[in-house]
Amino acid sequence: MWKLARFTAKNLRQTRRFSAAIPGPCIVHKRGTDILHDPWFNKDTGFPLTERDRLGLRGLLPPRVISFEQQYDRFMESYRSLEHNTRGEPANVVALAKWRILNRLHDRNETLYYRVLIDNIRDFAPIIYTPTVGLVCQNYGGLFRRPRGMYFSAKDKGEMMSMIYNWPAEQVDMIVLTDGSRILGLGDLGVQGIGIPIGKLDIYVAAAGMNPQRILPVMLDVGTNNQKLLEDGLYLGLREPRLEGDEYLAIVDEFMEAVFTRWPKAIVQFEDFQMKWAFETLQRYRKRFCMFNDDIQGTAGVALAGLLGAVRAQGRPLTDFVKQKIVVVGAGSAGIGVLTMAKQVAWKMMGSPENMEANNQFWLLDKFGLITKDRKNLDPAAAPFARGFGPGEIEGLREGASLIEVIKKVKPHVLLGLSGVGGVFDEQVLKAMRESDSPRPAVFAMSNPTMNAECTAVDAFKYAGQNIVFASGSPFENVDLGNGKVGHVNQANNMYLFPGIGLGTLLSGAHFISDGMMQAAAECLASYMTDEEIQKGILFPSISSIRHITSEVGAAIIHAAVAEELAEGHGEIGLKELMHMSKEETLNYVARNMWYPVYSPLVHEK
């Protein structure tokens, strides 16, 4: 297991020193207002006088030159003023107001935008990412001002190979792709799901230092089955039912071929595909292209790190993970992904398939109740986790047993929700967890956005007991338990892993992302917290240290790729250099390759 170094101020200074070195000049082929209208090159009032002269900007800007730091302070003052002026307004109104002010900055000045985001990631991640991004997607038609990313639709069949060359960047490292079919827990939002790739890639820039000129959000519009959207005059997507079967796969096939023809070293992250296509596309492409599915594999990695942390919180060795009784509510792509990775890790700990078969530690439920081998039309993805009637079975638990029945009979160590059904962990269910066989049971309410969380943090500690370990997908405040005690809320957020997975894969030069690489990332995150923190119920680190966490996860990915002989090297660093890097050298290599926003000197060239 990759052991994570502790985050320190020195680590952060090193990361910034590597990535924020004085940049060389940037050649531009624009002058005058064309530069001011390009968010990548625009510095607003920050253009020095010499640049104003050589770029034809004299007279197009107020005469005073404002430094980058002064611009930063001015924006933050505006943001704080907005916070003050919206006090008492409905939460959705406030969230969208905050998103708008950040989005306007993004549209105008990308360098300043990413600096603001990086330095305030803990406060701004919930705005540009979950949970506010769900609200943005729901209202996308009315919020749309300018296009961002690329849109490929069913009407573009046969044209994608030429369309991909319409994107101006010569090189793209990271693509986040969605078809809008299952946006968070909100369902089919069609083309409005583009907000998800945009938000995810902003996190890639902030957390992993991906160069924002080399990222690409993509919407694959194959129609929508959301009748409300089809009747909405502001809807911007195709007004027709979703493609299915071979017609659907033909569109995705064509897109993937086009992407990797132009950018053979790119990485594609599949995001928010409905379950059947999430698994189908993962199996279809993972051996042919460098891709992964964040809902299946990223969620699994973060959840696994939480599950391993829960074992440590009980004061038990990690090898006791195989003895944990885990009830999972939600048999979609995320739930199945978590179970698959957890089963692989348990298998590795137990050493043989025979032991694993005799130690079935998972109980999986969907909207119809407990899934067993008696289930009619059993989904192939859920089949490996269906309960039988052999060793380890509990008398009285049959097909379709309710959640409360399962908890009372199994007395699980962990109750994990990925159902997308808000409030499914009600008072009765949470009180039943008090009878857990664990001295410190875990309740994970991981569905997004906040309104879809299986329970709130307050209810979890109130009904399941003050000694529980709690994690959620959306942010909740810590809970005051009285007498100076705090119920710690752990946000089991995919942003702890996917930036490091993407960056580590890129820097390793791997053309395939293996299960071993994913497990290395999860185990890296699981080892981050000290025993003292774990005993307090803190399973995940502060988002404020996300760049350092990403450096470590990225380094773990590289070492796993080298160990599995999948690495080929990146840029000037070849396989030979990667093979001989120590852990510290690998960490420094990752940190050095993180982009950090500073204004580059601009030089005009015709």
Side-chain angles (χ1 to χ4, degrees), residues 294-412:
D294 187 47
D295 302 299
I296 298 174
Q297 297 165 288
T299 300
V302 174
L304 176 61
L307 292 174
L308 294 174
V311 177
R312 292 174 63 195
Q314 298 169 16
R316 302 167 70 176
L318 284 181
T319 51
D320 275 5
F321 174 66
V322 299
K323 300 177 183 178
Q324 297 277 290
K325 292 182 292 185
I326 301 170
V327 170
V328 177
V329 183
S333 56
I336 298 298
V338 170
L339 286 171
T340 300
M341 186 175 288
K343 188 173 183 178
Q344 290 170 345
V345 170
W347 193 318
K348 186 166 64 174
M349 289 179 175
M350 298 194 73
S352 76
E354 293 78 14
N355 289 340
M356 190 68 197
E357 189 66 28
N359 186 62
N360 189 356
Q361 64 186 115
F362 308 110
W363 284 260
L364 176 63
L365 294 88
D366 62 6
K367 62 183 178 181
F368 301 112
L370 181 66
I371 298 175
T372 74
K373 294 177 182 177
D374 284 345
R375 173 71 60 93
K376 293 180 180 179
N377 300 316
L378 179 60
D379 191 304
F385 308 101
R387 300 300 300 193
F389 302 101
E393 296 306 325
I394 296 175
E395 188 175 348
L397 282 183
R398 300 299 181 187
E399 165 62 33
S402 69
L403 176 57
I404 191 67
E405 289 179 289
V406 172
I407 292 176
K408 287 183 175 180
K409 292 281 188 180
V410 174
K411 303 184 188 303

Side-chain angles (χ1 to χ4, degrees), residues 414-472:
V414 179
L415 173 61
L416 192 154
L418 285 160
S419 65
V421 180
V424 70
F425 295 173
D426 58 19
E427 179 180 347
Q428 188 182 17
V429 167
L430 291 170
K431 283 184 174 178
M433 283 298 292
R434 289 177 177 264
E435 304 302 317
S436 166
D437 284 340
S438 168
R440 194 168 195 185
V443 176
F444 290 178
M446 293 183 61
S447 290
N448 284 313
T450 307
M451 66 180 183
N452 285 32
E454 285 75 12
C455 67
T456 66
V458 170
D459 282 351
F461 285 101
K462 180 179 179 180
Y463 298 124
Q466 296 188 359
N467 198 42
I468 65 166
V469 178
F470 179 79
S472 59

Side-chain angles (χ1 to χ4, degrees), residues 540-554:
F540 298 104
S542 169
I543 292 294
S544 300
S545 56
I546 191 63
R547 277 215 163 193
H548 180 256
I549 298 163
T550 297
S551 295
E552 296 279 2
V553 171

